[in-house]
Amino acid sequence: SLLGLAGLCAAPFLRARAPEVETEEGPRLWVDPAAAELVDVPEWVDPRWLERLRAELARTPPFDCADVAFLAPLVASLGALSFVETVERCELSPRGELVLELALRKPVACIPAHGDYLLVDEDGVVLEGRWPLPPRLGSVPLPVLVADELFERARPGDWLAEPEHEDAIDVALSLAENLTVEERVQLGRIEIDAQRARRASIDEPGVRLELAGGRQALFGRGPASDEPGELAPEAKWRSLARALALFEQDPVAHDWNLVDLRWDRPELVLKNAPVVALRSEPARAPERERRARDPSKPHVR
């Protein structure tokens, strides 16, 4: 996502209008980066990032438009900010304006660290800003990567490069890709444990998803896995959405502890399975049999 900044001229980039200054050689144009305004700011941007950006711009003193040597240090200082992926443009326009365009890193998950939570983007870059609780991106809670001792040493700008971290981020990206905003809101806060993702087998469930209410979902290998026989990630997420919908229909009778998403016919373990069986009415038996024959429905055991 791009962030633009603007000065006196309305534009989707940073434009710090250069005032004319009289010198012995005649009028000259100067640029003051501290006078720039921010425009086209994505709604998900942490306001603290904008404060940091303004402070970084203010560190560059006004400079003569004829002295482009100031541009390279400015690009370097902005590009070093953890939440800036790239400085797409940094140049002087023919009108004597500084034009900046920044590509920002969008949070996709968060990690517990130092008693708070830090944001991470899709590349695993730790972003600036601490949160006392797992934050939301709009109305959707960001997934939390399961606690790891390495997270306690994480600082803004660090990269999460361990295989289990990459797998967990892949799960977070797959979640956002395959479930709607409404389904993700219904899902609530989710914790992703991918420490055993690459050791998944029939007996080892691989990725575990910890959901609200003490529920757990077994996901198998990470979405990027190309192991033969692994169920497609979109099929796993659709099974989870059906399990959530089943709970919503009757939160008492259909509350569940665990859903195993690894199979074409997912297995669902109800919290009150014996009670449900005892209270089932004979008239509903055909419906249960129909669901048992339907491979697209969760299999309850």
Side-chain angles (χ1 to χ4, degrees):
S1 297
L2 298 180
L3 167 66
L5 304 99
L8 299 182
C9 297
F13 311 117
L14 182 153
R15 295 186 185 272
R17 184 56 185 254
E20 291 188 359
V21 178
E22 288 290 341
T23 67
E24 294 181 357
E25 293 81 14
R28 298 174 66 180
L29 295 176
W30 286 70
V31 171
D32 184 4
E37 298 178 9
L38 308 183
V39 299
D40 292 347
V41 180
E43 61 180 9
W44 46 262
V45 166
D46 186 338
R48 292 171 292 187
W49 295 0
L50 305 182
E51 295 175 6
R52 178 67 186 281
L53 184 56
R54 292 188 183 97
E56 202 63 39
L57 290 168
R59 292 179 56 187
T60 302
F63 60 90
D64 189 334
C65 283
D67 187 3
V68 294
F70 278 89
L71 296 181
L74 182 58
V75 169
S77 65
L78 295 178
L81 298 174
S82 64
F83 51 85
V84 174
E85 182 175 6
T86 57
V87 179
E88 297 291 320
R89 294 176 64 191
C90 182
E91 60 191 33
L92 292 173
S93 74
R95 297 177 57 189
E97 296 168 335
L98 175 64
V99 181
L100 272 173
E101 183 178 357
L102 309 176
L104 303 182
R105 296 187 179 276
K106 187 174 183 179
V108 300
C110 59
I111 60 174
H114 322 296
D116 293 313
Y117 292 86
L118 301 175
L119 303 176
V120 295
D121 83 330
E122 65 180 355
D123 296 320
V125 176
V126 180
L127 307 179
E128 189 169 314
R130 294 186 179 186
W131 300 81
L133 295 172
R136 295 175 178 267
L137 197 65
S139 60
V140 179
L142 283 174
V144 180
L145 308 193
V146 71
D148 186 312
E149 62 180 13
L150 293 178
F151 294 165
E152 291 301 317
R153 301 199 296 269
R155 296 292 184 273
D158 288 348
W159 293 66
L160 304 181
E162 295 298 322
E164 60 268 26
H165 302 156
E166 295 177 350
D167 290 337
I169 291 173
D170 283 344
V171 173
L173 292 171
S174 178
L175 164 66
E177 180 181 352
N178 289 285
L179 294 185
T180 66
V181 170
E182 292 74 17
E183 289 171 333
R184 293 167 65 194
V185 170
Q186 178 188 6
L187 180 63
R189 184 181 302 173
I190 178 173
E191 185 172 295
I192 302 172
D193 182 353
Q195 295 183 10
R196 294 179 291 277
R198 304 191 183 192
R199 300 197 295 272
S201 65
I202 294 178
D203 298 323
E204 170 53 61
V207 176
R208 291 170 169 82
L209 307 178
E210 301 293 338
L211 313 179
R215 301 175 192 87
Q216 186 179 78
L218 307 181
F219 196 86
R221 296 181 177 88
S225 172
D226 58 357
E227 290 290 330
E230 187 72 18
L231 196 63
E234 52 268 28
K236 298 177 183 179
W237 292 118
R238 295 324 311 162
S239 293
L240 180 57
R242 289 195 296 271
L244 291 172
L246 182 67
F247 166 72
E248 289 293 322
Q249 291 172 8
D250 191 336
V252 176
H254 295 164
D255 197 4
W256 47 270
N257 287 318
L258 181 141
V259 59
D260 195 333
L261 309 172
R262 296 176 294 164
W263 321 116
D264 292 328
R265 187 178 178 183
E267 294 184 349
L268 191 71
V269 180
L270 295 177
K271 286 186 177 180
N272 301 311
V275 176
V276 172
L278 289 172
R279 295 182 180 179
S280 296
E281 298 179 4
R284 297 186 58 85
E287 171 65 15
R288 291 199 304 274
E289 294 174 359
R290 184 188 65 80
R291 289 177 59 85
R293 292 193 299 270
D294 187 348
S296 69
K297 303 298 182 183
H299 174 57
V300 180
R301 62 177 174 86

